[in-house]
Every structure is written in C-alpha cells, then in structure tokens.
Amino acid sequence: MASTTPTPQNVSNRPDPLTIEVVELIGEVVARFHEDYESAAAQHSLTGAQARLLSLLCLEPLPMRRLAQQLKCEPSNVTGIVDRLEARGLVERQPDPADRRVKVAAATAEGRRVARSLRESLRFAREPLAGLSEEERVALRDTLRRMLA
C-alpha cells in the first residue's frame, strides 16, 4: 500500500498563488511606506536614515554600536549621522550611565519635537486604516504581530 503522506521529494517548494499575492501586497505596502517616510523626512530637512536614527533615540539613548545594529549599517556611518543631527541640535552625546567610558546618543527636546512632527505628518495608510472598523484594525494588528514574532 502506497503512503499518501508527502515526502520531502514530492512537496513543492513553490508558494501557492494566495501566498504570492500576499507577499506582493506586503511589498507594495513597504514601498509606499518608505516613499511617504522619505518625503516626511525631507519636509524636516532630514534624510530617511537621519529620521530613523532620531526616532530610535526618542525611545532611549543608545550607544553608536547599538544604533548601527538597529539601522543595519556600519558604526562609522552612524557617527556621521549623529554628527549631522548634533550640529542641528537634535541629538547630543552623553556619557553612558552604566559605563562612563562609553558615549550614548540621545535625542534633545528639539529632536523629540521634530520626530513627533515627522511621525504625525506620515499620511500613508492613515485614510485606508480609517476606512476599516476597529475590529478589522485589531485583526490586522494582531496578524502583523504574529508575522513578526
């Protein structure tokens, strides 16, 4: 009697059409978000990388190495970004309370104001999300959380 259980040899690695469509839609959402984010950053005379770094620093002060890890770039790039933000008064370097030999970058009050203004100016998805019921938005949020877990 032949087994009907799929084996690695006869299971296709190709995704089904629904999965392909979902992946393509996620890609379009990401592209539109990045376009809107870059535009909002430019309105504040920031590059996208500067805006992302400033947003991270609004959560907590971070050492350069951690910023580089979060932004997925070289520490030398982060140093240049912090230098430019510091020159504008949006970021400051401070001694790390846990290790005085290490410097952390921290958002200034003006930096937090600019980051908040940037976040509020993001238009992408605001209207489409407003068209969903609270139940639909909760379901979408929960699905996205599961995908990222």
Side-chain angles (χ1 to χ4, degrees):
M1 180 184 245
S3 171
T4 58
T5 305
T7 62
Q9 294 82 16
N10 63 12
V11 173
S12 173
N13 289 330
R14 293 174 37 198
D16 62 275
L18 177 59
T19 299
I20 291 170
E21 182 180 7
V22 169
V23 168
E24 288 172 353
L25 289 168
I26 290 171
E28 181 65 24
V29 166
V30 168
R32 287 187 187 184
F33 174 79
H34 280 295
E35 182 180 312
D36 189 35
Y37 196 86
E38 294 287 332
S39 175
Q43 290 173 10
H44 292 83
S45 300
L46 297 170
T47 65
Q50 289 171 335
R52 285 187 294 280
L53 187 142
L54 187 57
S55 293
L56 285 172
L57 293 180
C58 285
L59 300 174
E60 65 178 324
L62 292 168
M64 302 295 180
R65 187 171 309 287
R66 288 260 319 276
L67 282 167
Q69 291 168 343
Q70 292 280 342
L71 295 172
K72 296 177 180 27
C73 68
E74 294 297 316
S76 60
N77 291 346
V78 169
T79 300
I81 295 169
V82 169
D83 287 345
R84 288 184 287 284
L85 292 173
E86 189 174 38
R88 288 187 53 190
L90 303 177
V91 166
E92 62 187 2
R93 288 177 169 89
Q94 305 170 341
D96 185 338
D99 184 348
R100 309 275 303 160
R101 298 169 297 172
V102 175
K103 294 278 188 190
V104 295
T108 63
E110 177 64 8
R112 287 188 297 278
R113 186 196 66 73
V114 167
R116 184 174 44 256
S117 176
L118 187 147
R119 196 171 41 253
E120 290 169 357
S121 70
L122 291 172
R123 296 177 318 277
F124 172 74
R126 191 172 290 161
E127 287 181 25
L129 287 172
L132 300 177
S133 69
E134 182 174 357
E135 182 179 294
E136 289 170 320
R137 285 181 284 138
V138 167
L140 177 58
R141 180 204 60 201
D142 294 347
T143 301
L144 292 170
R145 283 180 176 171
R146 278 198 343 253
M147 287 181 71
L148 294 172

